[in-house]
Amino acid sequence: MSLDNPGTIINKIVEIKDSLPKKQRQLCDYILKNTQSIGLITVKELATNANVGISTVMRTINSLGYENFNDLRKDIYDESFPSNSRWALKKSITEVQKEEGRDPTLIQVWKESVNLLNKSLDADLMENFEITIDVIEKSSHINILGSRPYKATALYLEQLLGEFYSKIRQLSHDTEVIYDRILQFEKDEILVVFAFEPYTNRIIEAVKLAHELGNRIILITDYISCPVIPYASVILKVEINKEQFSLVPIIALIEALVIEIGKRSSKESIERLKKLEKTLIEKNVIFSY
C-alpha cells in the first residue's frame, strides 16, 4: 500500500530525510539524485548503488509509508516521468541504439546543452521564476554568493544586473569574511546563492546564518537533495549532466532573470544603460564608428 497521494513522494523524501539515521539519509539522497532510474532497478541494485544494506532500504521504505519497494518504485517513476515524457525517453533510447558512431565533441556538447535546457524548463521552474522576480523587486539589496566553478555564475549575474541595477553586493570574492558580511545584512536584503554538488560547507553555513537572521534566500541548484533547500525561500532547480560539465542552463536562467528585472524597471533601466554607453564611448573604453 502506497501513500494516499503518490504525487508527493519526492517532497515526502525531502521533508523527512534529515530526521532519519545516517545510512537512510544517504539512501534518500541517492534516490533524489537518481529518480529517473529508480523505476528500472531492483532492491538489491538500489542498495548496492547507494552503498547501503538491503535492511536500510527496507527501513527507509517503511519510514516513507510503504510496505514494499515495488509500490515506492512505481510512485517515484510516475512522478519523475509524466506520461508524455515516457514516450520521449523510449524514442531517445531507440535512436541512440541506432547510432553507429559518436558525434564529434562539439556536436555532442551542443546537443547535450540543448537537452539540459529543455529538461530544466518545467512548470516548477517557471512558477518559481516569477516568485523570484517578486522577491527581488521587494528587496532593498541583492547579495550574491557562489563558490568554486559557480563563482563565475555569481560574477556573471552581478555583471549583467549591475549594468542598470545598483543595489548589489558580491560575496564570492572573499569567503573568509563571509559571516562578517552576512551579519551586516539589513532586514529586507536577500541572498542569491549558487549551490551545486559537491556542496561546500562554507556555502551551507552562510545560508544557515542568513536564514537565522531572517533574510530570504533564492537558491539556484541542481538536486532537490541539496542541503541548502530547507533554508531557501525560493528554489530554482536546473538540470545537470554528471558526465558533461555545463553552465548553459544556469547562464540561460541568469539572463532571463536580468531581462525580466530590466523589463519591470524598464524606464530607469534604459536611462542607466544609455548613460553608461555614452560614458564608455566618451572615455574611449569601447570602440565606436
Side-chain angles (χ1 to χ4, degrees), residues 32-47:
L32 291 172
K33 294 175 186 176
N34 298 275
T35 52
Q36 295 182 352
S37 64
I38 297 301
L40 307 174
I41 62 177
T42 65
V43 170
K44 184 177 180 181
E45 288 171 333
L46 175 59

Side-chain angles (χ1 to χ4, degrees), residues 11 14 122 124-129 131-132 193 217-224 226 228-238 253:
N11 288 337
V14 172
D122 58 16
D124 285 339
L125 183 63
M126 293 177 69
E127 179 181 353
N128 288 336
F129 179 89
I131 296 172
T132 297
V193 60
I217 290 108
I218 295 170
L219 170 63
I220 301 173
T221 191
D222 46 4
Y223 294 116
I224 52 176
C226 173
V228 172
I229 280 182
Y231 311 102
S233 304
V234 194
I235 302 162
L236 297 170
K237 177 184 169 294
V238 296
L253 177 60

Side-chain angles (χ1 to χ4, degrees), residues 12-191:
K12 175 73 171 178
I13 295 173
V14 172
E15 288 171 4
I16 75 165
K17 73 182 185 73
D18 289 337
S19 65
L20 298 175
K22 182 178 179 181
K23 281 294 184 179
Q24 291 188 48
R25 288 201 307 272
Q26 180 177 318
L27 175 61
C28 286
D29 284 336
Y30 178 84
I31 292 173
L32 291 172
K33 294 175 186 176
N34 298 275
T35 52
Q36 295 182 352
S37 64
I38 297 301
L40 307 174
I41 62 177
T42 65
V43 170
K44 184 177 180 181
E45 288 171 333
L46 175 59
T48 300
N49 294 345
N51 196 27
V52 300
I54 291 179
S55 60
T56 296
V57 176
M58 300 313 299
R59 283 195 294 270
T60 306
I61 288 171
N62 293 335
S63 296
L64 291 169
Y66 291 83
E67 294 179 0
N68 61 73
F69 177 62
N70 286 336
D71 287 339
L72 172 63
R73 179 171 59 184
K74 180 181 181 300
D75 283 353
I76 291 177
Y77 180 78
D78 287 343
E79 186 170 350
S80 301
F81 288 101
S83 56
N84 60 336
S85 298
R86 294 175 201 158
W87 295 109
L89 176 65
K90 180 180 178 182
K91 180 180 178 183
S92 299
I93 293 172
T94 304
E95 289 178 350
V96 169
Q97 289 174 340
K98 289 179 179 178
E99 291 179 357
E100 295 181 0
R102 295 177 63 84
D103 288 325
T105 300
L106 177 60
I107 296 177
Q108 287 182 49
V109 173
W110 212 273
K111 285 182 176 179
E112 182 56 26
S113 295
V114 173
N115 180 45
L116 290 174
L117 285 169
N118 290 334
K119 288 169 67 178
S120 296
L121 188 60
D122 58 16
D124 285 339
L125 183 63
M126 293 177 69
E127 179 181 353
N128 288 336
F129 179 89
E130 293 299 325
I131 296 172
T132 297
I133 297 297
D134 289 338
V135 170
I136 289 175
E137 281 191 307
K138 294 173 183 176
S139 68
S140 62
H141 232 94
I142 302 174
N143 297 275
I144 308 173
L145 177 61
S147 66
R148 300 177 67 81
Y150 303 99
K151 177 179 178 179
T153 58
L155 297 176
Y156 187 55
L157 174 57
E158 178 194 22
Q159 178 65 39
L160 289 188
L161 197 53
E163 296 285 328
F164 60 87
Y165 192 94
S166 60
K167 300 181 291 184
I168 305 175
R169 291 194 195 93
Q170 182 61 251
L171 306 181
S172 308
H173 293 303
D174 191 357
T175 55
E176 293 295 327
V177 293
I178 186 68
Y179 304 129
D180 308 55
R181 299 288 182 265
I182 293 174
L183 287 170
Q184 296 172 12
F185 284 4
E186 299 293 336
K187 180 181 178 181
D188 296 327
E189 294 189 29
I190 63 171
L191 175 63

